[in-house]
Amino acid sequence: MSEELKIFLKNLWPLYLIVLVIPSLSYGAWHIWPEKKMEIVVIDKTVPNSEYREHQGLFFTLNYYKYTKKDGDFYQTATDYFGFVPNGQDDFGTIRDYPGQTEADIQNWVASKDLIYLADTYGVYTRNFKDFKSGELSQKVYGGLDAKDLEVLTEAKNQEKTIIAEYNSMASPTPKFYRTSFENLMGLKWTGWIARYFEELDTLVNDELPDWLITNYTEQHGPWSLKGDGMIFVNESGEIQVLNAGLDYLNKTPLIRTPRLNKGGFNLPDVVPYPDWFDIVLIERDYEVISYFDLNPTNEGLSKLRKMGLPRFFPAAVSKNNGAGYLYYFSGDFSDFGGEVGSPKFKGISYLWRGFYVVADYRDRQGFFWNYYMPLISQVLERAETQN
């Protein structure tokens, strides 16, 4: 080997450090880090395929922080949830239901759990498994809150367990009776409105706008002539309203703001853009607001919001005491994550990715996951851990 080559290889030591040494230390640190035992019930009825995107973010966080079941096993995305289980057959899938039938069975089962996480109840539909032509109806296969869910949730609240619910926990297709029961249980009220930011409303530019959205809007307001970016508000009645960026509100996207002195003491970024679906709820006075949505509406936008019966700010993440535990509601589809996050078995990787994925880039869902959702849910889990 020539002296020049030796010098060249020697000068590459920083690269060796980055590529080999640091990842090895990180991997080793994860393995020697102590495990934390916590029995968590995850409910996800919206699992049309093996992506498990509605609870993938949660399970990555559980594995990263080494939360295990009481038997020491790590949580598995494909098996450790209750809801729909796709099988690729003609019947589309099966239902993984709670064990036990009697009231005593439910009480004993809930008593052995620490936390209930209601990730999504929207469900699965025939369009998730078949190709449909425009205008064809898609039938519900499975979805919505039911009596057994409310029985489990009610018992969990009575036993002062921690309950976390997020967007689409109580909206369509949940029957109104069960929705009302859920609202009373959690101490909040859905306004009937959901909303989402779209970067482009021109149908000639954005072919991903839902057909039902365009059809309903056209029936109510006439020809679809929307262009540019804006906020779409959809009511459970089918009513659709639009807030135009720059005219009705001044932010690029909805912003999730977290006051530094929030009552829960959560350490989160001051401002995070959020371009996905969220529902608009009203909360009881005993809730503590962790974060809230801010559109920065103009006078015209405020007038439109008032006509819809909506406030200036919308709750994004809230909590309140439930005896030994807490009740949480996340208005956004926070745990939904369809991207690749790699292996959770590297200690400290969360700090690396928070620096790599810029929180201000609303187009990148990974930025939201690393900078907001993962810090939020990790602090929620830590809170629950101290209660056990």
Side-chain angles (χ1 to χ4, degrees):
M1 183 181 297
S2 67
E3 286 298 320
E4 291 82 359
L5 182 57
K6 289 180 180 179
I7 295 173
F8 174 75
L9 294 175
K10 185 177 180 180
N11 289 336
L12 290 179
W13 70 265
L15 182 62
Y16 301 146
L17 183 67
I18 295 172
V19 175
L20 298 174
V21 178
I22 293 178
S24 298
L25 291 174
S26 174
Y27 185 74
W30 183 91
H31 279 84
I32 65 174
W33 210 260
E35 297 174 358
K36 308 173 184 179
K37 297 189 186 304
M38 185 181 295
E39 284 292 328
I40 301 173
V41 175
V42 177
I43 304 168
D44 186 358
K45 301 193 175 187
T46 312
V47 186
N49 51 49
S50 59
E51 291 183 3
Y52 309 106
R53 61 178 299 153
E54 297 296 340
H55 62 261
Q56 183 181 198
L58 170 65
F59 278 64
F60 182 93
T61 306
L62 291 175
N63 290 327
Y64 176 79
Y65 287 102
K66 300 191 73 172
Y67 284 96
T68 69
K69 294 176 283 186
K70 294 291 175 64
D71 61 8
D73 289 341
F74 285 97
Y75 286 91
Q76 302 295 321
T77 311
T79 56
D80 290 319
Y81 72 93
F82 295 93
F84 190 77
V85 182
N87 60 13
Q89 305 300 316
D90 291 340
D91 61 355
F92 308 128
T94 57
I95 310 304
R96 184 181 292 129
D97 205 354
Y98 317 106
Q101 298 295 325
T102 68
E103 182 178 347
D105 290 337
I106 295 296
Q107 290 176 348
N108 293 333
W109 183 71
V110 170
S112 67
K113 308 303 176 185
D114 300 312
L115 184 149
I116 311 290
Y117 196 112
L118 188 54
D120 202 292
T121 69
Y122 180 67
V124 291
Y125 295 75
T126 49
R127 67 171 176 269
N128 297 128
F129 310 101
K130 297 180 179 180
D131 292 329
F132 275 75
K133 297 179 181 178
S134 178
E136 284 189 277
L137 294 176
S138 177
Q139 301 297 320
K140 183 182 80 171
V141 176
Y142 173 71
L145 284 174
D146 57 32
K148 195 73 171 290
D149 297 320
L150 266 300
E151 187 177 1
V152 168
L153 291 168
T154 300
E155 187 58 40
K157 184 182 179 182
N158 291 341
Q159 294 189 25
E160 300 183 354
K161 306 292 184 179
T162 290
I163 300 174
I164 307 168
E166 64 173 59
Y167 170 79
N168 233 331
S169 292
M170 57 180 163
S172 176
T174 295
K176 190 171 184 179
F177 173 79
Y178 295 128
R179 178 193 306 161
T180 301
S181 298
F182 178 81
E183 291 172 329
N184 293 335
L185 176 80
M186 294 292 291
L188 48 79
K189 176 73 175 178
W190 180 39
T191 62
W193 289 97
I194 60 175
R196 183 186 169 179
Y197 168 81
F198 285 91
E199 189 172 18
E200 179 54 69
L201 294 172
D202 190 338
T203 55
L204 296 178
V205 178
N206 185 1
D207 59 2
E208 295 184 357
L209 289 165
D211 291 338
W212 60 264
L213 179 64
I214 298 170
T215 300
N216 285 13
Y217 178 90
T218 302
E219 291 175 353
Q220 297 170 33
H221 303 283
W224 181 284
S225 58
L226 302 172
K227 294 183 179 180
D229 55 342
M231 290 290 302
I232 299 291
F233 288 77
V234 182
N235 191 273
E236 62 174 332
S237 67
E239 179 185 354
I240 295 176
Q241 296 293 340
V242 179
L243 266 64
N244 297 288
L247 298 176
D248 298 316
Y249 68 98
L250 300 179
N251 293 339
K252 177 68 175 176
T253 68
L255 298 178
I256 295 180
R257 296 189 182 274
T258 303
R260 292 204 173 187
L261 298 179
N262 63 85
K263 292 182 179 179
F266 285 84
N267 182 20
L268 297 165
D270 295 343
V271 180
V272 177
Y274 183 76
D276 212 334
W277 287 105
F278 63 92
D279 52 27
I280 302 169
V281 299
L282 306 176
I283 56 175
E284 293 181 348
R285 291 183 179 273
D286 55 350
Y287 266 104
E288 297 177 348
V289 176
I290 302 170
S291 308
Y292 61 90
F293 286 107
D294 182 14
L295 301 181
N296 195 11
T298 62
N299 289 333
E300 291 82 359
L302 281 172
S303 178
K304 286 186 176 182
L305 291 174
R306 281 195 290 268
K307 288 179 181 178
M308 288 186 276
L310 299 179
R312 162 72 170 79
F313 301 105
F314 316 135
V318 296
S319 73
K320 72 174 181 177
N321 191 271
N322 182 38
Y326 289 90
L327 302 181
Y328 296 90
Y329 190 76
F330 304 156
S331 296
D333 206 6
F334 290 173
S335 65
D336 180 330
F337 190 81
E340 292 293 332
V341 289
S343 171
K345 299 180 180 181
F346 289 90
K347 195 67 180 174
I349 196 174
S350 60
Y351 300 103
L352 172 66
W353 292 131
R354 281 174 210 166
F356 186 80
Y357 289 101
V358 180
V359 69
D361 185 1
Y362 65 88
R363 296 183 181 90
D364 193 341
R365 184 74 187 207
Q366 294 227 15
F368 177 80
F369 172 77
W370 291 110
N371 287 283
Y372 185 83
Y373 176 73
M374 191 174 183
L376 171 63
I377 197 61
S378 65
Q379 292 173 75
V380 168
L381 292 169
E382 186 177 354
R383 247 187 177 190
E385 186 185 359
T386 62
Q387 301 295 321
N388 297 330

